[in-house]
Amino acid sequence: MTTRHFHHCPTVRAGLPPVARPTRRAVRRTIATGVVLGALMLAGAGPALAAAPGGATPTPVVEAAPAVTAPTPDAGSTPGVATGADPKSATLTVTGTGRAAAPADLAILSVGVEVARPTAKEAMTAQRTAAEALLAALRKQSVADRDIRTDSLSLSPVYTQSTNGESRVTGYQAGQTFSVKVRDVEKAGQVIGAVTGATGSAGRVNSVAFDVADPTVLRSRAREAAHRDAYEKASQHAELSGHRLGRLISLTEGESLRPSPGGGMPADAPEVPLAPGEIEEQVTVTAVYELL
């Protein structure tokens, strides 16, 4: 009996080349390489994925677009002013002046006494005597004590220069001044005459000024006139520039102007005629309006 030996050989498909079977080591290397590549891909895509609750498929995270930088203004543009600004934002600044006048009903006198004596004590004594005579004369003219105020009191040495150029004290000069309000302006000259008559050579009349006892009403009238003046000016400017006058944005009032005291007169002046005239109050306002 004949024995046949068969050798194992790979199956050959018709028309196809034989396929080599991979070894176990090659399979393990391929799996390891795939795991590493997958980990790298997940690490790179991590920031772009957000974990969904419940194990759902991660939702891609869309990154915000970078901020757009505003263009730099031209060198010739004005800082703080927008190009092509709304014309409604235009403003107009005007100054209004108002005046109001009223007859003076108050006279303010600056009167006093001044004496010189060899010693300081004698000078102060003589000054006190003259001041008491002045106050008594004012009270006789029905001037109330509330309208009499001491403004100053002074005592100073009097120097005399000798022939050799040396100065020495030869006496002392004492003085006192009072501010007196005479509410009957027709009697102001009479009050001055009474003061100079009672004090003699020691009397002094420094100044006379006229005013109104209550300037509130006068100032209010001047303020109203200043407002009207400012509004009329602003309305005219708006019309001339082709705009309409809008709301008042701001208003500033300046200091009002009052009369200043008059000049002095000699102490031995008799009962002098005075002309009080009118007292004028002036108010100035600065107004800023919106142009429409």
Side-chain angles (χ1 to χ4, degrees):
M1 183 179 62
T2 304
T3 304
R4 294 182 179 178
H5 298 277
F6 295 92
H7 296 281
H8 179 74
C9 61
T11 304
V12 178
R13 298 181 183 179
L16 295 175
V19 178
R21 178 177 298 177
T23 63
R24 293 182 179 180
R25 180 178 301 175
V27 171
R28 285 195 299 268
R29 185 181 298 114
T30 302
I31 294 175
T33 303
V35 171
V36 172
L37 291 176
L40 292 176
M41 293 176 65
L42 288 176
L49 296 178
T57 304
T59 304
V61 178
V62 179
E63 296 183 358
V68 179
T69 304
T72 304
D74 297 336
S77 62
T78 303
V81 178
T83 304
D86 190 348
K88 292 184 179 180
S89 62
T91 60
L92 172 67
T93 303
V94 294
T95 299
T97 303
R99 295 179 177 87
D105 58 5
L106 179 68
I108 303 175
L109 313 178
S110 175
V111 296
V113 294
E114 188 177 80
V115 295
R117 296 293 186 272
T119 65
K121 183 178 180 179
E122 292 174 338
M124 289 300 295
T125 300
Q127 178 271 326
R128 183 175 64 250
T129 301
E132 289 174 351
L134 184 150
L135 294 174
L138 292 175
R139 294 186 180 103
K140 286 182 180 180
Q141 295 297 320
S142 302
V143 178
D145 289 344
R146 66 185 178 93
D147 292 330
I148 305 172
R149 184 187 70 239
T150 298
D151 282 344
S152 66
L153 179 64
S154 62
L155 175 65
S156 57
V158 177
Y159 293 91
T160 301
Q161 191 171 8
S162 62
T163 55
N164 58 2
E166 294 181 358
S167 297
R168 61 187 183 90
V169 177
T170 57
Y172 289 86
Q173 182 174 282
Q176 189 173 5
T177 59
F178 299 89
S179 176
V180 181
K181 292 181 180 179
V182 181
R183 299 186 181 274
D184 185 357
V185 294
E186 300 297 332
K187 293 180 60 177
Q190 181 178 332
V191 171
I192 293 174
V195 168
T196 57
T199 56
S201 60
R204 299 288 185 273
V205 179
N206 301 314
S207 65
V208 180
F210 293 96
D211 204 349
V212 289
D214 184 11
T216 305
V217 177
L218 192 60
R219 186 175 296 115
S220 178
R221 289 168 48 197
R223 187 177 293 116
E224 291 176 3
H227 272 260
R228 288 194 301 269
D229 185 49
Y231 180 79
E232 291 172 1
K233 289 179 179 178
S235 299
Q236 184 180 16
H237 280 295
E239 182 180 358
L240 293 174
S241 60
H243 292 81
R244 289 185 297 108
L245 194 64
R247 62 188 179 91
L248 177 65
I249 297 176
S250 68
L251 182 71
T252 304
E253 180 178 336
E255 295 184 2
S256 60
L257 300 180
R258 303 308 311 278
S260 58
M265 61 184 66
D268 58 352
E271 183 176 324
V272 293
L274 300 174
E278 282 189 337
I279 302 302
E280 182 181 272
E281 183 87 12
Q282 178 176 317
V283 174
T284 302
V285 296
T286 302
V288 180
Y289 289 93
E290 183 182 27
L291 289 179
L292 304 178

